[in-house]
Amino acid sequence: MSTNADNVYNLDVARILSPAFFNRPALTVARSLLGKYLVRRIGRKTVAAMITEVEAYDGHLDKACHAHRGKTPRNAVMFGPAGHWYVYFVYGMHWMLNIVTGPKDYPAALLIRGVGKWNGPAKLTKALKINGSLNGKMTGRKSGLWIEDRRVEVPEKSIRRTPRIGVAYAKEWARKPYRFVLARNLDFATAAD
DNA sequence: ACGATGATGAAC
DNA sequence: TTCATCATCGTA
């Protein structure tokens, strides 16, 4: 066990985002997640992909948020502490990956809609073998799913904000610019890594 | 434009 | 217990 190997390991651990990072307003965390890396441990292999698209679901007033109608068995994780995974099943076949934000008892989470080459929330969960067994787990190595800061610079100009997808039923809340998308041509950042 | 496919939550 | 709905995707 060389000193060198230990240093490499420690550097790696240092850039894993801790739950404290997520204990801030959903919109603030959403913006800062662009350019971070979602990292998934699958058996012996580790896959990392840059987060390119995120949506915020912010509190019980937000009519598009699952917590809008109160606490239920499904959305209970959203009412828990930040930095835990909220994974649910929709349309009879798709898993959606969310990370809880903000203080305990304030229900908010971010839906991760795009990472790396995978565009679409159901495509990335399928590719990274993410399902309900992760629901309620804390982000980190122990859960096999975490987020790393790899020091990719994301200028404001590279970010687009739009209404959220597939929530037309939420009336005026559907129009709010709670979707954050990273411009495609940020590939220079990965190349420089 | 539509069907797949099953959990969820609200109503009865 | 029933029923409409659903933070989607692939095919047409």
Side-chain angles (χ1 to χ4, degrees), chain A residues 11-77:
Chain A
L11 279 172
D12 205 42
V13 166
R15 62 191 187 192
I16 293 182
L17 299 179
S18 68
F21 176 91
F22 302 95
N23 192 14
R24 295 181 290 157
L27 294 172
T28 304
V29 182
R31 186 258 171 268
S32 57
L33 266 196
L34 295 178
K36 301 295 190 294
Y37 278 76
L38 181 68
V39 188
R40 174 67 165 145
R41 182 75 176 273
I42 305 169
R44 285 180 181 76
K45 293 183 180 170
T46 300
V47 182
M50 193 193 293
I51 296 171
T52 58
E53 184 180 342
V54 165
E55 277 177 0
Y57 289 84
D58 189 16
H60 68 284
L61 293 177
D62 179 358
K63 290 189 180 129
C65 182
H66 284 170
H68 176 237
R69 290 164 193 270
K71 195 174 182 177
T72 67
R74 180 178 66 165
N75 67 26
V77 176

Side-chain angles (χ1 to χ4, degrees), chain A residues 28-155:
Chain A
T28 304
V29 182
R31 186 258 171 268
S32 57
L33 266 196
L34 295 178
K36 301 295 190 294
Y37 278 76
L38 181 68
V39 188
R40 174 67 165 145
R41 182 75 176 273
I42 305 169
R44 285 180 181 76
K45 293 183 180 170
T46 300
V47 182
M50 193 193 293
I51 296 171
T52 58
E53 184 180 342
V54 165
E55 277 177 0
Y57 289 84
D58 189 16
H60 68 284
L61 293 177
D62 179 358
K63 290 189 180 129
C65 182
H66 284 170
H68 176 237
R69 290 164 193 270
K71 195 174 182 177
T72 67
R74 180 178 66 165
N75 67 26
V77 176
M78 291 184 90
F79 290 78
H84 290 245
W85 299 113
Y86 170 40
V87 184
Y88 66 89
F89 192 63
V90 290
Y91 296 120
M93 55 188 93
H94 302 306
W95 292 103
M96 300 287 108
L97 175 66
N98 302 251
I99 182 97
V100 175
T101 63
K104 186 178 179 302
D105 295 325
Y106 182 84
L110 308 176
L111 170 66
I112 299 180
R113 295 188 58 92
V115 301
K117 64 182 175 184
W118 298 291
N119 214 280
K123 289 183 193 165
L124 73 91
T125 54
K126 186 179 179 189
L128 298 176
K129 303 199 189 307
I130 290 163
N131 59 38
S133 66
L134 276 155
N135 189 43
K137 299 268 175 66
M138 192 174 69
T139 118
R141 284 184 175 279
K142 195 172 164 191
S143 71
L145 185 65
W146 64 95
I147 298 174
E148 292 182 6
D149 183 356
R150 296 192 172 182
R151 321 281 165 163
V152 173
E153 183 131 358
V154 177

